[in-house]
């Protein structure tokens, strides 16, 4: 009798390690995105979570850009780890924290240079073009930090 499906030895242990890595990276990524969210919240007037929950469009756009930017940094850190789990997790955490600090500083500098009142912008009930400038700054900085990792 021939076997229709033969799995390589160690298949399930490899899958198990992969699932563990996914869960750990997801946890680090989620932690960094939450830290990034609260860093923005702490450095701007008003409660960002309430503004997002209330659907204030500028808060949603800027927050979404910050989340995508942080995810990009984590993805590049994972990629740069070349399959080494402990190094990848540590790199994602370190580079993610540096990315959060860089984003907060960059948004404060952007506010100073452009004269955009970020707090007022986030609380505005209507979508304003300035939100796209702030969102672009988040995304651009995520790209810069991500590429710097490589």
């Amino acid at each position: 009798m021939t076997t229709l499906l033969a799995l390589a030895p160690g298949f399930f242990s490899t899958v198990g390690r992969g699932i563990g890595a996914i869960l750990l990276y997801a946890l680090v990524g989620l932690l960094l995105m939450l830290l990034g969210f609260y860093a923005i919240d702490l450095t701007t007037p008003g409660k960002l979570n309430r503004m997002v929950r209330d659907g204030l469009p500028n808060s949603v756009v800027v927050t979404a850009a910050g989340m995508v930017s942080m995810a990009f940094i984590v993805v590049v850190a994972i990629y740069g780890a070349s399959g080494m789990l402990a190094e990848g997790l540590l790199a994602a955490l370190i580079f993610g924290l540096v990315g959060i600090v860089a984003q907060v500083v960059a948004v404060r500098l952007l506010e100073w240079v452009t004269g955009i009142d970020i707090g007022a912008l986030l609380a505005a009930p209507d979508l304003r073009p300035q939100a796209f400038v702030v969102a672009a700054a988040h995304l651009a900085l995520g790209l810069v930090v991500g590429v710097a990792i490589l």
Side-chain angles (χ1 to χ4, degrees):
M1 175 188 258
T2 62
T3 304
L4 293 177
L5 178 64
L7 298 174
F11 172 78
F12 288 107
S13 66
T14 300
V15 169
R17 280 193 308 275
I19 290 171
I22 289 168
L23 294 174
L24 289 170
Y25 277 120
L27 183 64
V28 168
L30 178 62
L31 173 70
L32 289 169
M33 285 187 268
L34 289 172
L35 284 173
F37 178 85
Y38 284 113
I40 295 168
D41 188 26
L42 287 172
T43 59
T44 55
K47 291 299 295 168
L48 187 58
N49 63 351
R50 181 174 295 126
M51 290 186 276
V52 169
R53 189 176 41 243
D54 291 344
L56 295 174
N58 303 307
S59 295
V60 172
V61 167
V62 169
T63 300
M67 298 293 112
V68 170
S69 175
M70 187 54 54
F72 183 76
I73 293 168
V74 172
V75 166
V76 174
I78 293 168
Y79 177 78
S82 300
M84 297 179 291
L85 181 59
E87 291 86 347
L89 289 168
L90 188 56
L93 186 61
I94 292 168
F95 292 133
L97 291 172
V98 170
I100 290 169
V101 171
Q103 284 185 338
V104 168
V105 169
V107 169
R108 298 281 67 89
L109 285 172
L110 179 70
E111 184 174 30
W112 177 69
V113 168
T114 63
I116 296 172
D117 182 344
I118 304 293
L121 174 67
L122 295 176
D126 56 320
L127 184 60
R128 297 191 178 165
Q130 297 91 331
F132 296 104
V133 173
V134 177
H138 277 292
L139 293 172
L141 199 58
L143 290 170
V144 169
V145 172
V147 171
I149 293 168
L150 297 176

